[in-house]
Amino acid sequence: MNYATIKNCDIANGPGVRVSLFVSGCTHHCPGCFNEVAWDFAYGEPFTEETENTIVDMLRPSYIRGLTLLGGEPFEPQNQGAIVHLLRRIRKELPQKTIWAFSGYLFEKDILSGRLGDCSEYLSYLDVLVDGPFVEAKKDLNLRFRGSSNQRLIDVPKSLAAGETILWEDWQGDRKGMI
């Protein structure tokens, strides 16, 4: 996997101060995408053990609330292995951190269905999934943590436990009750 960039101290892609990993590679090619350069799977730098160590170290300060995965497309099958390895490590070393992912894929149709492979371990590490492609005609700058009104903020643990999609509406809570 390659990555386009890593942002330390990001406040736009989830609650609180976050580390954001923008992976490379996306097959959606949404018109109006804010990060077209990351469509190319070869763009950016290789994601290495050193990169993983850097991200984990960036997450360590207490003022960092968590990690956000964006793209490109973090659920592309080519990207899943490296991401799951990173998330497994974060949950082991920093279990108090929240993990968000943005995906142009749909939770039920693409991710849960197995169309992208077995995503069960990947999903087990996520707190919130923002799903759905960016739709330029539905762009709304007043939306919190999403670009277009068709995108949903999904509470992944609650959805998996209930067997149905439950939207994330808890603007104040996370794993420790603080966002």
Side-chain angles (χ1 to χ4, degrees):
M1 177 178 89
N2 278 11
Y3 69 96
T5 193
I6 300 167
K7 289 186 179 180
N8 196 8
C9 298
D10 185 357
I11 59 168
N13 295 303
V17 181
R18 311 184 69 74
V19 173
S20 292
L21 170 62
F22 292 78
V23 301
S24 295
C26 182
T27 57
H28 302 299
H29 298 187
C30 301
C33 174
F34 79 99
N35 203 13
E36 278 187 41
V37 68
W39 291 355
D40 182 353
F41 285 88
Y43 179 77
E45 301 293 325
F47 190 85
T48 64
E49 185 177 344
E50 183 179 328
T51 310
E52 183 177 294
N53 291 339
T54 297
I55 291 170
V56 170
D57 287 342
M58 287 177 170
L59 286 166
R60 290 194 189 283
S62 61
Y63 63 87
I64 299 292
R65 299 283 173 86
L67 174 72
T68 299
L69 304 165
L70 307 100
E73 172 57 65
F75 274 90
E76 292 290 1
Q78 303 91 307
N79 293 335
Q80 289 184 31
I83 290 172
V84 167
H85 188 272
L86 170 66
L87 300 184
R88 189 182 301 131
R89 181 172 171 198
I90 291 167
R91 280 290 177 239
K92 181 179 178 183
E93 295 180 30
L94 302 163
Q96 74 281 14
K97 302 297 181 175
T98 60
I99 301 174
W100 282 44
F102 284 72
S103 177
Y105 289 110
L106 296 174
F107 183 58
E108 304 89 350
K109 178 183 173 192
D110 302 312
I111 297 171
L112 287 178
S113 71
R115 191 171 87 72
L116 303 173
D118 182 1
C119 296
S120 57
E121 183 180 7
Y122 193 149
L123 290 171
S124 75
Y125 301 127
L126 295 183
D127 294 293
V128 174
L129 171 68
V130 182
D131 84 330
F134 172 74
V135 177
E136 198 164 21
K138 295 182 177 191
K139 181 178 179 178
D140 184 345
L141 298 177
N142 294 314
L143 295 172
R144 193 165 183 198
F145 307 132
R146 54 199 169 125
S148 56
S149 61
N150 62 295
Q151 296 171 315
R152 304 176 298 173
L153 288 90
I154 298 170
D155 186 317
V156 176
K158 286 183 181 177
S159 296
L160 294 176
E164 64 180 336
T165 302
I166 297 176
L167 298 182
W168 183 78
E169 296 178 7
D170 183 3
W171 301 107
Q172 303 302 315
D174 70 2
R175 287 186 181 271
K176 291 282 190 175
M178 303 278 290
I179 286 202

